Amino acid sequence: MAEQPIAYGGQAVVEGVMFQGQHSLVTAVRRKNGSIETFEVQKKEQPILSKVKKIPFVRGLIGLIEASASGAKHLQFATEQYDLDENPDQVRETKETFSSKLSMWLGVAVIGILSFVVGKVIFTLVPAMLASFLFDGLVKNLILQNLIEGAIKTVLLFSYLWIISQTPIIKRVFQYHGAEHKVITAYEHGEELTVENVQKHSRLHYRCGSSFMILTILVGVIVYSFFQYENMWDRMIIRLELLPLVIMLSYEVLRFTNALRDVPVLKYLGYPGLWLQLLTTKEPNDEQVEVAITSFKRMLDLDSEVKAKQAPMNHASSIGM
């Protein structure tokens, strides 16, 4: 049985897949000429950040910010590589060009974080505003008001995902998302990572960010029920103030449901996230699965190389103690 990749995660990008391991991040992209290109980043050891990421609740916010930053950088790479033609002058990079691109990637990472924050704020405020404007005069019970707000948020989320999934480019991104899930599942089952083996598995996976999205709605309904508000503006301000708390609690609930996914009855706690993945993933073709396998295998190789280098150091440290 293969080692369970608890620390591994993936993300679909334009014409490719990014996998994050314990020590590295790798994006594999299918170029227009059919070749597969990889973008590899080794994680830098940050002792303070590593300790913070172990603190319950706080780790949820840190993890999401990191994912937004790294995902944005890899998305930029994927877009560039897919659009790159066969002109050798474009492929060749000088140190100056690389430095310029590095600065650009850092800028893209910041944009990725801001986009996540703005998206969460909008997705929190609009349902609250609609619920207050349409139903506060009719419904006085606080719990019912929050259930209505949650229902509006769910409808908006599903509608948005369904609409964008009809566009060709997003459909392909969702196919790569499905390929990513299939590869992780095949690996968790200890199978050789071949296209045939990977394609046998489901495109749905418990540890998906889609599950987190639906959990923020469910957790929000519960959290908001403890706070009264006077009017629509008061309601919206309270939602903004509670947004970090909802995110942190949702992350912990996601970890909890992942831990219980093999328990016969409790496994159903993760089903809402799986249902949402019916929209955020599509069945991939063999070429897309091949890209996901390339990314995942390269990530495993890089992680193994780092562990091999660390082993002698750890051994030397233990001798000196």
Side-chain angles (χ1 to χ4, degrees), residues 5 11 20 100 137 146 156 174 199 213 250 292:
Q11 180 174 325
Q20 178 176 191
S100 175
N146 291 319
L156 290 176
F174 286 174
Q199 284 285 35
M213 286 193 291
S250 300

Side-chain angles (χ1 to χ4, degrees), residues 223 275 303:
V223 171
W275 295 335
D303 271 11

Side-chain angles (χ1 to χ4, degrees), residues 189-295:
H189 282 76
E191 298 182 9
E192 182 183 359
L193 295 182
T194 64
V195 172
E196 183 180 4
N197 287 342
V198 169
Q199 284 285 35
K200 293 185 300 185
H201 292 282
S202 171
R203 72 179 197 266
L204 311 181
H205 197 281
Y206 262 78
R207 287 198 312 274
C208 176
S210 302
S211 301
F212 177 78
M213 286 193 291
I214 200 70
L215 281 175
T216 57
I217 297 176
L218 299 176
V219 171
V221 169
I222 297 173
V223 171
Y224 298 154
S225 297
F226 291 95
F227 297 87
Q228 295 278 354
Y229 60 88
E230 298 297 329
N231 51 56
M232 181 179 72
W233 300 110
D234 188 31
R235 182 180 196 170
M236 294 171 68
I237 291 173
I238 290 175
R239 296 301 183 264
L240 284 180
E241 293 174 341
L242 294 175
L243 182 56
L245 176 62
V246 171
I247 290 176
M248 291 188 290
L249 286 174
S250 300
Y251 184 84
E252 297 302 321
V253 173
L254 179 62
R255 289 174 59 93
F256 180 70
T257 57
N258 288 338
L260 299 176
R261 59 177 175 166
D262 294 324
V263 179
V265 177
L266 298 180
K267 68 178 182 180
Y268 296 108
L269 292 173
Y271 273 36
L274 295 178
W275 295 335
L276 186 60
Q277 289 177 47
L278 293 174
L279 285 176
T280 61
T281 65
K282 301 291 183 183
E283 283 295 333
N285 58 39
D286 289 351
E287 289 188 348
Q288 291 166 328
V289 168
E290 183 184 8
V291 172
I293 291 174
T294 300
S295 176

Side-chain angles (χ1 to χ4, degrees), residues 42-266:
Q42 185 172 332
K43 294 182 179 179
K44 295 182 179 179
E45 291 296 330
Q46 298 176 317
I48 296 178
L49 186 60
S50 297
K51 291 180 180 179
V52 173
K53 288 168 65 176
K54 294 179 181 179
I55 302 175
F57 302 106
V58 176
R59 59 191 174 192
L61 282 176
I62 300 298
L64 287 172
I65 292 174
E66 275 194 323
S68 299
S70 61
K73 287 187 290 185
H74 285 254
L75 176 61
Q76 178 71 23
F77 163 80
T79 304
E80 286 182 349
Q81 291 301 312
Y82 182 64
D83 289 337
L84 198 62
D85 61 27
E86 291 306 295
N87 187 338
D89 293 332
Q90 287 183 286
V91 179
R92 191 182 301 115
E93 291 185 351
T94 63
K95 290 184 178 180
E96 182 179 353
T97 304
F98 179 78
S99 176
S100 175
K101 282 202 169 187
L102 181 60
S103 299
M104 181 183 66
W105 281 331
L106 291 175
V108 171
V110 172
I111 292 173
I113 295 173
L114 291 176
S115 297
F116 168 77
V117 173
V118 172
K120 288 301 298 179
V121 168
I122 292 175
F123 191 65
T124 298
L125 294 184
V126 171
M129 182 175 63
L130 289 175
S132 286
F133 183 74
L134 296 174
F135 296 100
D136 276 5
L138 303 174
V139 179
K140 300 301 181 183
N141 183 277
L142 182 62
I143 295 178
L144 284 179
Q145 289 175 342
N146 291 319
L147 286 173
I148 291 172
E149 182 180 338
I152 292 175
K153 189 177 294 186
T154 302
V155 170
L156 290 176
L157 175 62
F158 275 74
S159 299
Y160 169 74
L161 290 173
W162 182 82
I163 290 171
I164 66 172
S165 69
Q166 303 307 302
T167 63
I169 188 170
I170 298 300
K171 182 179 179 181
R172 289 187 64 80
V173 171
F174 286 174
Q175 284 179 300
Y176 277 107
H177 191 188
E180 164 218 324
H181 287 177
K182 284 173 174 274
V183 168
I184 292 179
T185 303
Y187 178 76
E188 289 175 334
H189 282 76
E191 298 182 9
E192 182 183 359
L193 295 182
T194 64
V195 172
E196 183 180 4
N197 287 342
V198 169
Q199 284 285 35
K200 293 185 300 185
H201 292 282
S202 171
R203 72 179 197 266
L204 311 181
H205 197 281
Y206 262 78
R207 287 198 312 274
C208 176
S210 302
S211 301
F212 177 78
M213 286 193 291
I214 200 70
L215 281 175
T216 57
I217 297 176
L218 299 176
V219 171
V221 169
I222 297 173
V223 171
Y224 298 154
S225 297
F226 291 95
F227 297 87
Q228 295 278 354
Y229 60 88
E230 298 297 329
N231 51 56
M232 181 179 72
W233 300 110
D234 188 31
R235 182 180 196 170
M236 294 171 68
I237 291 173
I238 290 175
R239 296 301 183 264
L240 284 180
E241 293 174 341
L242 294 175
L243 182 56
L245 176 62
V246 171
I247 290 176
M248 291 188 290
L249 286 174
S250 300
Y251 184 84
E252 297 302 321
V253 173
L254 179 62
R255 289 174 59 93
F256 180 70
T257 57
N258 288 338
L260 299 176
R261 59 177 175 166
D262 294 324
V263 179
V265 177
L266 298 180

